[in-house]
Amino acid sequence: MGLTCGIVGLPNVGKSTLFSAISSNKAEAANYPFCTIEPNVGIVTVPDERLSILESLVNPQRVLPTVIEFTDIAGLVKGASQGAGLGNKFLANIREVDAIIHVVRCFVDENIVHVEGRVNPVSDKEIIDMELQLKDLESVDKKISKTERAAKAGDAKARQELAALQQFKATLEAGKSARTVEMDPELRAAAIGDLYLLTDKPVIYVANVDESALAQGGNEYVDQLRANVQAENAEVIVVCAALEAQIAEIEDMEERAMFLSEYGLTESGLSKLIRSSYYLLNLITYFTAGVQEVRAWTIQKGWKAPQAAGVIHTDFEKGFIRAEVIKLADYQALKTELACKEAGKMSVEGKEYIVQDGDIMHFRFNV
């Protein structure tokens, strides 16, 4: 399954610089709004040291990491929900992503203009929140109009959905996002599942700071942002997009590690962002390992073996018989699949097995 994250923010907050740093597709970064008119899409491999361990043990012909797709979407401005700036084009693009990476400017630089004329991370965040909420409200109102007719005709299911839609409407009108509504998952899906509400998507806030603030773990602007999103139970990741751009240019891993250590870092902002995205979306990784290839696969936490097999091919899920599972620690200790099998460290699991992060799996199926 592919993971897609949309990078959003007001113009000149550093989102295109961040995108350029984490992707092989270089988005144009310029000191004016709307330089990124078409969404720029970059496919980034997910760093996972477990792949290196398996590669050293199996010595495969190729290694295929799992990937994450980042889409850099044009800067949003006040009034976008009514079509201002790139307005509806922006909002249509963001509907297609799994999660939102909201970049917020937390640095002062007189050479980089701010579209609102000042640096205020909370206000910046609220501008985008409001525009997304207004667009969602429009979608909810349209569905309410359709659902009301069925509810008045005596449709019990429609009455349930109408009550749920009215709850979302009230929440959005109060200036809160759809993701804050607590509701039975089945009812929620029935009410808004087809709307792809913008504010129902999970979000990670990226506080873009300068190098000095990065070394300190943040600054007063980051503190303001953290305090503001606390009620959302959302994560704030502190990065320096300009520094990430420099890191991306260093191909040698040892040299990169030395560069990071100079700033007191053990990993890049990209690695933190990917890890947080996986956690946010409740994702895990399992592996297949053979002489032809070692490969990482992304699935939802809690998926059973047949569902996990279906990520490789739908036939694997349809004709699932069993899964042979080895834990990475056992594989690392015993060195080979055969040794794991002989030592009783290869378990045979059926359709009810819940796949664990890091499992090494081989599926038996018959179509």
Side-chain angles (χ1 to χ4, degrees):
M1 60 184 295
L3 170 61
T4 61
C5 294
I7 304 178
V8 305
L10 290 173
N12 298 334
V13 298
K15 64 183 184 58
S16 291
T17 301
L18 180 64
F19 174 84
S20 296
I22 64 177
S23 171
S24 56
N25 283 355
K26 298 296 183 183
E28 180 187 1
N31 188 25
Y32 57 91
F34 314 130
C35 70
T36 310
I37 295 174
E38 292 298 325
N40 289 265
V41 178
I43 306 297
V44 182
T45 58
V46 176
D48 195 325
E49 62 181 13
R50 296 173 296 185
L51 276 174
S52 300
I53 293 171
L54 284 173
E55 182 180 16
S56 66
L57 294 169
V58 179
N59 193 27
Q61 294 176 18
R62 62 177 182 173
V63 177
L64 295 176
T66 189
V67 297
I68 184 170
E69 182 179 292
F70 286 97
T71 302
D72 178 37
I73 303 174
L76 190 62
V77 294
K78 190 180 293 184
S81 60
Q82 304 302 315
L86 295 175
N88 291 327
K89 187 177 183 65
F90 169 94
L91 296 168
N93 291 330
I94 197 176
R95 286 195 190 281
E96 300 169 5
V97 303
D98 298 313
I100 295 172
I101 308 297
H102 185 164
V103 182
V104 183
R105 179 169 170 171
C106 293
F107 66 89
V108 176
D109 188 333
E110 294 179 357
N111 296 316
I112 301 177
V113 298
H114 190 292
V115 70
E116 292 293 318
R118 79 287 176 271
V119 177
N120 186 327
V122 172
S123 177
D124 289 358
K125 170 193 172 295
E126 290 175 347
I127 287 173
I128 287 189
D129 283 350
M130 181 180 68
E131 296 305 326
L132 300 185
Q133 288 160 7
L134 288 171
K135 198 64 181 177
D136 280 353
L137 187 58
E138 181 182 309
S139 299
V140 170
D141 278 337
K142 285 180 181 178
K143 188 164 184 183
I144 284 176
S145 297
K146 293 179 182 178
T147 310
E148 275 179 334
R149 291 193 291 270
K152 288 177 181 177
D155 188 326
K157 184 179 178 183
R159 284 199 295 267
Q160 267 193 323
E161 290 182 16
L162 180 60
L165 285 165
Q166 288 169 338
Q167 187 176 344
F168 280 103
K169 177 180 172 69
T171 298
L172 292 165
E173 286 179 335
K176 297 179 182 179
S177 295
R179 71 179 72 89
T180 65
V181 175
E182 294 184 7
M183 185 177 291
D184 175 76
E186 288 188 13
L187 179 57
R188 186 188 199 91
I192 64 167
D194 59 341
L195 299 181
Y196 301 99
L197 296 184
L198 304 169
T199 64
D200 197 41
K201 297 179 183 295
V203 61
I204 295 174
Y205 295 98
V206 173
N208 185 20
V209 301
D210 56 26
E211 293 180 12
S212 61
L214 183 67
Q216 299 168 12
N219 55 24
E220 60 179 308
Y221 297 121
V222 176
D223 292 340
Q224 292 168 14
L225 180 63
R226 282 184 175 136
N228 183 262
V229 306
Q230 193 170 13
E232 298 180 34
N233 196 27
E235 185 172 4
V236 175
I237 297 176
V238 180
V239 304
C240 174
L243 189 64
E244 289 295 316
Q246 296 179 54
I247 294 170
E249 298 296 325
I250 304 173
E251 295 183 3
D252 183 83
M253 291 298 103
E254 288 187 12
E255 187 179 342
R256 180 178 290 191
M258 289 177 61
F259 183 86
L260 288 168
S261 67
E262 290 178 8
Y263 290 89
L265 304 174
T266 57
E267 62 178 347
S268 68
L270 170 60
S271 295
K272 289 192 290 184
L273 191 55
I274 289 174
R275 191 172 62 249
S276 296
S277 299
Y278 266 60
Y279 179 78
L280 181 72
L281 294 171
N282 209 27
L283 301 176
I284 62 171
T285 301
Y286 78 86
F287 303 94
T288 52
V291 292
Q292 288 190 332
E293 73 174 27
V294 165
R295 184 163 183 168
W297 303 89
T298 299
I299 63 169
Q300 287 281 341
K301 186 177 181 181
W303 274 16
K304 295 180 180 179
Q307 290 176 286
V311 174
I312 299 176
H313 197 286
T314 52
D315 285 349
F316 281 34
E317 182 173 6
K318 291 176 184 176
F320 179 89
I321 299 173
R322 66 179 184 272
E324 297 167 352
V325 184
I326 302 173
K327 300 301 180 183
L328 181 61
D330 292 330
Y331 208 127
Q332 197 172 2
L334 297 170
K335 309 300 183 186
T336 68
E337 182 179 309
L338 179 60
C340 290
K341 188 173 183 178
E342 291 175 344
K345 295 298 184 181
M346 176 189 286
S347 62
V348 178
E349 305 291 351
K351 293 182 178 181
E352 296 304 310
Y353 176 71
I354 297 175
V355 179
Q356 303 299 305
D357 186 44
D359 277 354
I360 302 161
M361 307 191 73
H362 183 71
F363 297 104
R364 300 292 182 182
F365 71 102
N366 183 28
V367 178

